[in-house]
mmCIF file of all heavy atoms in Angstrom:
data_model
loop_
_atom_site.group_PDB
_atom_site.id
_atom_site.type_symbol
_atom_site.label_atom_id
_atom_site.label_comp_id
_atom_site.label_asym_id
_atom_site.label_seq_id
_atom_site.Cartn_x
_atom_site.Cartn_y
_atom_site.Cartn_z
ATOM 1 N N ALA A 1405 -14.902 -14.543 -2.074
ATOM 2 C CA ALA A 1405 -15.582 -15.633 -2.694
ATOM 3 C C ALA A 1405 -15.343 -15.557 -4.173
ATOM 4 O O ALA A 1405 -15.323 -16.602 -4.926
ATOM 5 C CB ALA A 1405 -17.073 -15.605 -2.382
ATOM 6 N N SER A 1406 -15.214 -14.413 -4.715
ATOM 7 C CA SER A 1406 -15.016 -14.151 -6.272
ATOM 8 C C SER A 1406 -13.658 -14.640 -6.705
ATOM 9 O O SER A 1406 -13.406 -14.820 -7.913
ATOM 10 C CB SER A 1406 -15.227 -12.653 -6.491
ATOM 11 O OG SER A 1406 -14.153 -11.997 -6.020
ATOM 12 N N GLY A 1407 -12.744 -14.847 -5.648
ATOM 13 C CA GLY A 1407 -11.378 -15.149 -6.047
ATOM 14 C C GLY A 1407 -10.503 -13.952 -6.369
ATOM 15 O O GLY A 1407 -9.267 -14.106 -6.530
ATOM 16 N N GLU A 1408 -11.095 -12.797 -6.325
ATOM 17 C CA GLU A 1408 -10.290 -11.562 -6.529
ATOM 18 C C GLU A 1408 -9.256 -11.382 -5.404
ATOM 19 O O GLU A 1408 -9.515 -11.909 -4.252
ATOM 20 C CB GLU A 1408 -11.136 -10.372 -6.609
ATOM 21 C CG GLU A 1408 -11.948 -10.137 -7.919
ATOM 22 C CD GLU A 1408 -12.850 -9.012 -7.871
ATOM 23 O OE1 GLU A 1408 -12.123 -7.930 -8.201
ATOM 24 O OE2 GLU A 1408 -13.932 -8.960 -7.480
ATOM 25 N N GLY A 1409 -8.250 -10.671 -5.550
ATOM 26 C CA GLY A 1409 -7.278 -10.435 -4.512
ATOM 27 C C GLY A 1409 -7.703 -9.561 -3.465
ATOM 28 O O GLY A 1409 -8.625 -8.662 -3.687
ATOM 29 N N LEU A 1410 -6.978 -9.561 -2.342
ATOM 30 C CA LEU A 1410 -7.242 -8.637 -1.216
ATOM 31 C C LEU A 1410 -5.840 -8.089 -0.882
ATOM 32 O O LEU A 1410 -4.817 -8.786 -0.702
ATOM 33 C CB LEU A 1410 -7.757 -9.468 0.020
ATOM 34 C CG LEU A 1410 -9.224 -9.839 -0.070
ATOM 35 C CD1 LEU A 1410 -9.469 -10.801 1.186
ATOM 36 C CD2 LEU A 1410 -10.071 -8.609 -0.016
ATOM 37 N N GLU A 1411 -5.801 -6.804 -0.453
ATOM 38 C CA GLU A 1411 -4.615 -6.203 -0.017
ATOM 39 C C GLU A 1411 -4.911 -5.521 1.297
ATOM 40 O O GLU A 1411 -5.758 -4.547 1.228
ATOM 41 C CB GLU A 1411 -4.108 -5.137 -1.037
ATOM 42 C CG GLU A 1411 -2.733 -4.446 -0.609
ATOM 43 C CD GLU A 1411 -2.438 -3.288 -1.672
ATOM 44 O OE1 GLU A 1411 -2.886 -3.393 -2.826
ATOM 45 O OE2 GLU A 1411 -1.599 -2.503 -1.271
ATOM 46 N N GLU A 1412 -4.176 -5.861 2.354
ATOM 47 C CA GLU A 1412 -4.389 -5.141 3.694
ATOM 48 C C GLU A 1412 -3.833 -3.851 3.492
ATOM 49 O O GLU A 1412 -2.767 -3.684 3.001
ATOM 50 C CB GLU A 1412 -3.718 -5.966 4.728
ATOM 51 C CG GLU A 1412 -4.211 -7.260 4.852
ATOM 52 C CD GLU A 1412 -3.422 -8.232 5.861
ATOM 53 O OE1 GLU A 1412 -2.308 -7.865 6.171
ATOM 54 O OE2 GLU A 1412 -3.889 -9.251 6.171
ATOM 55 N N VAL A 1413 -4.655 -2.799 4.031
ATOM 56 C CA VAL A 1413 -4.149 -1.438 3.892
ATOM 57 C C VAL A 1413 -4.065 -0.764 5.257
ATOM 58 O O VAL A 1413 -3.252 0.140 5.506
ATOM 59 C CB VAL A 1413 -4.941 -0.658 2.825
ATOM 60 C CG1 VAL A 1413 -6.401 -0.411 3.328
ATOM 61 C CG2 VAL A 1413 -4.232 0.630 2.533
ATOM 62 N N ALA A 1414 -4.960 -1.194 6.138
ATOM 63 C CA ALA A 1414 -4.948 -0.542 7.492
ATOM 64 C C ALA A 1414 -5.630 -1.512 8.561
ATOM 65 O O ALA A 1414 -6.213 -2.515 8.145
ATOM 66 C CB ALA A 1414 -5.651 0.769 7.474
ATOM 67 N N LYS A 1415 -5.423 -1.115 9.762
ATOM 68 C CA LYS A 1415 -5.953 -2.029 10.880
ATOM 69 C C LYS A 1415 -6.713 -1.011 11.847
ATOM 70 O O LYS A 1415 -6.539 0.171 11.806
ATOM 71 C CB LYS A 1415 -4.825 -2.662 11.739
ATOM 72 C CG LYS A 1415 -4.018 -3.677 11.041
ATOM 73 C CD LYS A 1415 -4.860 -4.892 10.733
ATOM 74 C CE LYS A 1415 -5.045 -5.823 11.865
ATOM 75 N NZ LYS A 1415 -5.761 -7.067 11.643
ATOM 76 N N CYS A 1416 -7.581 -1.601 12.612
ATOM 77 C CA CYS A 1416 -8.224 -0.839 13.645
ATOM 78 C C CYS A 1416 -7.745 -1.460 15.092
ATOM 79 O O CYS A 1416 -7.239 -2.497 15.138
ATOM 80 C CB CYS A 1416 -9.725 -0.871 13.688
ATOM 81 S SG CYS A 1416 -10.531 -2.484 14.161
ATOM 82 N N GLY A 1417 -7.998 -0.682 16.112
ATOM 83 C CA GLY A 1417 -7.501 -1.120 17.378
ATOM 84 C C GLY A 1417 -8.242 -2.409 17.979
ATOM 85 O O GLY A 1417 -7.627 -3.024 18.829
ATOM 86 N N ALA A 1418 -9.335 -2.701 17.434
ATOM 87 C CA ALA A 1418 -9.972 -3.974 17.763
ATOM 88 C C ALA A 1418 -9.774 -5.097 16.986
ATOM 89 O O ALA A 1418 -10.285 -6.128 17.138
ATOM 90 C CB ALA A 1418 -11.580 -3.668 17.753
ATOM 91 N N GLY A 1419 -8.632 -4.965 16.180
ATOM 92 C CA GLY A 1419 -8.266 -6.301 15.497
ATOM 93 C C GLY A 1419 -8.838 -6.368 14.006
ATOM 94 O O GLY A 1419 -8.671 -7.385 13.349
ATOM 95 N N GLY A 1420 -9.588 -5.411 13.594
ATOM 96 C CA GLY A 1420 -10.225 -5.422 12.321
ATOM 97 C C GLY A 1420 -9.206 -5.076 11.239
ATOM 98 O O GLY A 1420 -8.164 -4.357 11.571
ATOM 99 N N THR A 1421 -9.496 -5.293 9.982
ATOM 100 C CA THR A 1421 -8.654 -5.014 8.910
ATOM 101 C C THR A 1421 -9.441 -4.316 7.808
ATOM 102 O O THR A 1421 -10.514 -4.719 7.408
ATOM 103 C CB THR A 1421 -7.986 -6.308 8.390
ATOM 104 O OG1 THR A 1421 -7.430 -6.885 9.462
ATOM 105 C CG2 THR A 1421 -6.846 -5.850 7.291
ATOM 106 N N PHE A 1422 -8.721 -3.295 7.092
ATOM 107 C CA PHE A 1422 -9.241 -2.684 5.949
ATOM 108 C C PHE A 1422 -8.422 -3.245 4.783
ATOM 109 O O PHE A 1422 -7.337 -3.213 4.826
ATOM 110 C CB PHE A 1422 -9.207 -1.191 6.037
ATOM 111 C CG PHE A 1422 -9.910 -0.490 7.177
ATOM 112 C CD1 PHE A 1422 -9.393 -0.370 8.364
ATOM 113 C CD2 PHE A 1422 -11.190 0.020 6.830
ATOM 114 C CE1 PHE A 1422 -10.171 0.268 9.385
ATOM 115 C CE2 PHE A 1422 -11.947 0.632 7.860
ATOM 116 C CZ PHE A 1422 -11.491 0.672 9.169
ATOM 117 N N PHE A 1423 -9.178 -3.806 3.808
ATOM 118 C CA PHE A 1423 -8.635 -4.274 2.565
ATOM 119 C C PHE A 1423 -9.067 -3.448 1.434
ATOM 120 O O PHE A 1423 -10.098 -3.012 1.353
ATOM 121 C CB PHE A 1423 -9.179 -5.772 2.352
ATOM 122 C CG PHE A 1423 -8.823 -6.722 3.486
ATOM 123 C CD1 PHE A 1423 -9.678 -7.068 4.453
ATOM 124 C CD2 PHE A 1423 -7.655 -7.487 3.335
ATOM 125 C CE1 PHE A 1423 -9.437 -7.920 5.481
ATOM 126 C CE2 PHE A 1423 -7.402 -8.388 4.446
ATOM 127 C CZ PHE A 1423 -8.182 -8.746 5.342
ATOM 128 N N LEU A 1424 -8.063 -3.461 0.419
ATOM 129 C CA LEU A 1424 -8.403 -3.025 -1.046
ATOM 130 C C LEU A 1424 -8.843 -4.304 -1.686
ATOM 131 O O LEU A 1424 -8.010 -5.284 -1.590
ATOM 132 C CB LEU A 1424 -7.312 -2.343 -1.594
ATOM 133 C CG LEU A 1424 -6.973 -0.936 -1.108
ATOM 134 C CD1 LEU A 1424 -5.696 -0.380 -1.601
ATOM 135 C CD2 LEU A 1424 -8.134 -0.059 -1.478
ATOM 136 N N CYS A 1425 -9.859 -4.277 -2.479
ATOM 137 C CA CYS A 1425 -10.331 -5.528 -3.252
ATOM 138 C C CYS A 1425 -9.980 -5.528 -4.694
ATOM 139 O O CYS A 1425 -10.144 -4.381 -5.301
ATOM 140 C CB CYS A 1425 -11.833 -5.676 -3.091
ATOM 141 S SG CYS A 1425 -12.525 -5.689 -1.389
ATOM 142 N N GLY A 1426 -9.529 -6.583 -5.231
ATOM 143 C CA GLY A 1426 -9.294 -6.677 -6.630
ATOM 144 C C GLY A 1426 -7.875 -6.071 -6.998
ATOM 145 O O GLY A 1426 -7.053 -6.051 -6.187
ATOM 146 N N GLU A 1427 -7.835 -5.810 -8.305
ATOM 147 C CA GLU A 1427 -6.497 -5.259 -8.827
ATOM 148 C C GLU A 1427 -6.630 -3.789 -9.165
ATOM 149 O O GLU A 1427 -7.824 -3.329 -9.301
ATOM 150 C CB GLU A 1427 -6.286 -6.035 -10.182
ATOM 151 C CG GLU A 1427 -6.046 -7.499 -10.070
ATOM 152 C CD GLU A 1427 -4.968 -7.902 -9.086
ATOM 153 O OE1 GLU A 1427 -4.033 -7.254 -9.214
ATOM 154 O OE2 GLU A 1427 -5.124 -8.883 -8.393
ATOM 155 N N GLY A 1428 -5.554 -3.117 -9.038
ATOM 156 C CA GLY A 1428 -5.683 -1.778 -9.352
ATOM 157 C C GLY A 1428 -4.821 -0.923 -8.265
ATOM 158 O O GLY A 1428 -4.092 -1.455 -7.546
ATOM 159 N N GLY A 1429 -5.261 0.359 -8.155
ATOM 160 C CA GLY A 1429 -4.587 1.240 -7.208
ATOM 161 C C GLY A 1429 -5.559 1.657 -6.112
ATOM 162 O O GLY A 1429 -6.470 0.895 -5.599
ATOM 163 N N ASP A 1430 -5.553 2.925 -5.755
ATOM 164 C CA ASP A 1430 -6.279 3.453 -4.557
ATOM 165 C C ASP A 1430 -7.758 3.471 -4.903
ATOM 166 O O ASP A 1430 -8.660 3.768 -3.890
ATOM 167 C CB ASP A 1430 -5.796 4.805 -4.185
ATOM 168 C CG ASP A 1430 -4.416 4.806 -3.706
ATOM 169 O OD1 ASP A 1430 -3.863 3.705 -3.361
ATOM 170 O OD2 ASP A 1430 -3.833 5.907 -3.748
ATOM 171 N N GLU A 1431 -8.193 3.327 -6.093
ATOM 172 C CA GLU A 1431 -9.600 3.458 -6.456
ATOM 173 C C GLU A 1431 -10.312 2.244 -6.245
ATOM 174 O O GLU A 1431 -11.649 2.174 -6.321
ATOM 175 C CB GLU A 1431 -9.745 3.874 -7.928
ATOM 176 C CG GLU A 1431 -9.478 2.759 -8.944
ATOM 177 C CD GLU A 1431 -8.012 2.358 -9.050
ATOM 178 O OE1 GLU A 1431 -7.135 2.955 -8.598
ATOM 179 O OE2 GLU A 1431 -7.743 1.300 -9.754
ATOM 180 N N ARG A 1432 -9.743 1.120 -5.716
ATOM 181 C CA ARG A 1432 -10.433 -0.122 -5.486
ATOM 182 C C ARG A 1432 -11.409 -0.119 -4.385
ATOM 183 O O ARG A 1432 -11.121 0.746 -3.408
ATOM 184 C CB ARG A 1432 -9.395 -1.240 -5.316
ATOM 185 C CG ARG A 1432 -8.483 -1.615 -6.530
ATOM 186 C CD ARG A 1432 -7.592 -2.681 -6.135
ATOM 187 N NE ARG A 1432 -6.382 -1.958 -5.382
ATOM 188 C CZ ARG A 1432 -5.369 -2.555 -4.735
ATOM 189 N NH1 ARG A 1432 -5.438 -3.942 -4.796
ATOM 190 N NH2 ARG A 1432 -4.515 -1.862 -4.117
ATOM 191 N N PRO A 1433 -12.450 -0.908 -4.333
ATOM 192 C CA PRO A 1433 -13.313 -0.959 -3.155
ATOM 193 C C PRO A 1433 -12.548 -1.348 -1.925
ATOM 194 O O PRO A 1433 -11.622 -2.126 -1.928
ATOM 195 C CB PRO A 1433 -14.273 -2.085 -3.567
ATOM 196 C CG PRO A 1433 -14.300 -2.101 -4.894
ATOM 197 C CD PRO A 1433 -12.859 -1.835 -5.396
ATOM 198 N N VAL A 1434 -13.045 -0.697 -0.823
ATOM 199 C CA VAL A 1434 -12.406 -0.850 0.550
ATOM 200 C C VAL A 1434 -13.334 -1.600 1.282
ATOM 201 O O VAL A 1434 -14.573 -1.308 1.528
ATOM 202 C CB VAL A 1434 -12.172 0.438 1.157
ATOM 203 C CG1 VAL A 1434 -11.582 0.196 2.576
ATOM 204 C CG2 VAL A 1434 -11.176 1.329 0.390
ATOM 205 N N LEU A 1435 -13.006 -2.884 1.806
ATOM 206 C CA LEU A 1435 -13.679 -3.726 2.582
ATOM 207 C C LEU A 1435 -13.121 -3.813 3.925
ATOM 208 O O LEU A 1435 -11.975 -3.903 4.163
ATOM 209 C CB LEU A 1435 -13.692 -5.158 2.039
ATOM 210 C CG LEU A 1435 -14.475 -6.344 2.757
ATOM 211 C CD1 LEU A 1435 -15.168 -7.200 1.640
ATOM 212 C CD2 LEU A 1435 -13.641 -7.058 3.628
ATOM 213 N N TYR A 1436 -14.047 -3.701 4.983
ATOM 214 C CA TYR A 1436 -13.522 -3.741 6.428
ATOM 215 C C TYR A 1436 -13.985 -5.188 6.958
ATOM 216 O O TYR A 1436 -15.137 -5.548 6.778
ATOM 217 C CB TYR A 1436 -14.233 -2.711 7.257
ATOM 218 C CG TYR A 1436 -13.883 -2.855 8.672
ATOM 219 C CD1 TYR A 1436 -12.581 -2.704 9.213
ATOM 220 C CD2 TYR A 1436 -14.963 -3.211 9.580
ATOM 221 C CE1 TYR A 1436 -12.372 -2.840 10.594
ATOM 222 C CE2 TYR A 1436 -14.681 -3.475 10.883
ATOM 223 C CZ TYR A 1436 -13.377 -3.230 11.421
ATOM 224 O OH TYR A 1436 -13.134 -3.442 12.718
ATOM 225 N N ALA A 1437 -13.114 -5.868 7.552
ATOM 226 C CA ALA A 1437 -13.523 -7.041 8.215
ATOM 227 C C ALA A 1437 -13.144 -6.896 9.735
ATOM 228 O O ALA A 1437 -11.928 -6.631 9.965
ATOM 229 C CB ALA A 1437 -12.698 -8.255 7.615
ATOM 230 N N ASP A 1438 -14.119 -7.277 10.624
ATOM 231 C CA ASP A 1438 -13.736 -7.168 12.088
ATOM 232 C C ASP A 1438 -13.198 -8.460 12.474
ATOM 233 O O ASP A 1438 -13.031 -9.442 11.766
ATOM 234 C CB ASP A 1438 -14.955 -6.709 12.908
ATOM 235 C CG ASP A 1438 -16.167 -7.678 12.940
ATOM 236 O OD1 ASP A 1438 -15.928 -8.936 12.709
ATOM 237 O OD2 ASP A 1438 -17.240 -7.179 13.253
ATOM 238 N N SER A 1439 -12.821 -8.518 13.747
ATOM 239 C CA SER A 1439 -12.170 -9.656 14.249
ATOM 240 C C SER A 1439 -13.206 -10.784 14.805
ATOM 241 O O SER A 1439 -12.797 -11.830 15.244
ATOM 242 C CB SER A 1439 -11.208 -9.296 15.478
ATOM 243 O OG SER A 1439 -11.968 -8.691 16.483
ATOM 244 N N GLU A 1440 -14.425 -10.470 14.609
ATOM 245 C CA GLU A 1440 -15.504 -11.339 15.078
ATOM 246 C C GLU A 1440 -16.382 -11.925 13.960
ATOM 247 O O GLU A 1440 -17.339 -12.484 14.276
ATOM 248 C CB GLU A 1440 -16.472 -10.468 15.936
ATOM 249 C CG GLU A 1440 -15.876 -9.778 17.150
ATOM 250 C CD GLU A 1440 -15.140 -10.712 18.133
ATOM 251 O OE1 GLU A 1440 -15.699 -11.802 18.409
ATOM 252 O OE2 GLU A 1440 -14.058 -10.404 18.597
ATOM 253 N N GLY A 1441 -15.878 -11.732 12.697
ATOM 254 C CA GLY A 1441 -16.557 -12.552 11.620
ATOM 255 C C GLY A 1441 -17.499 -11.593 10.952
ATOM 256 O O GLY A 1441 -18.483 -12.158 10.222
#
């Protein structure tokens, strides 16, 4: 919602995705989104 970037970094077996949020390197917040919303 903030307009910051998202970078996919990993997946889970159930179709969820782990994203790095914003700009920068490995120190960015990690957000997990499942496949069910």
Side-chain angles (χ1 to χ4, degrees):
S1406 67
E1408 290 183 80
L1410 286 171
E1411 179 185 342
E1412 296 170 350
V1413 69
K1415 295 292 281 185
C1416 76
T1421 307
F1422 294 88
F1423 297 93
L1424 289 171
C1425 301
E1427 300 299 320
D1430 294 343
E1431 75 288 349
R1432 294 176 281 168
V1434 179
L1435 181 142
Y1436 172 75
D1438 68 19
S1439 61
E1440 304 299 318

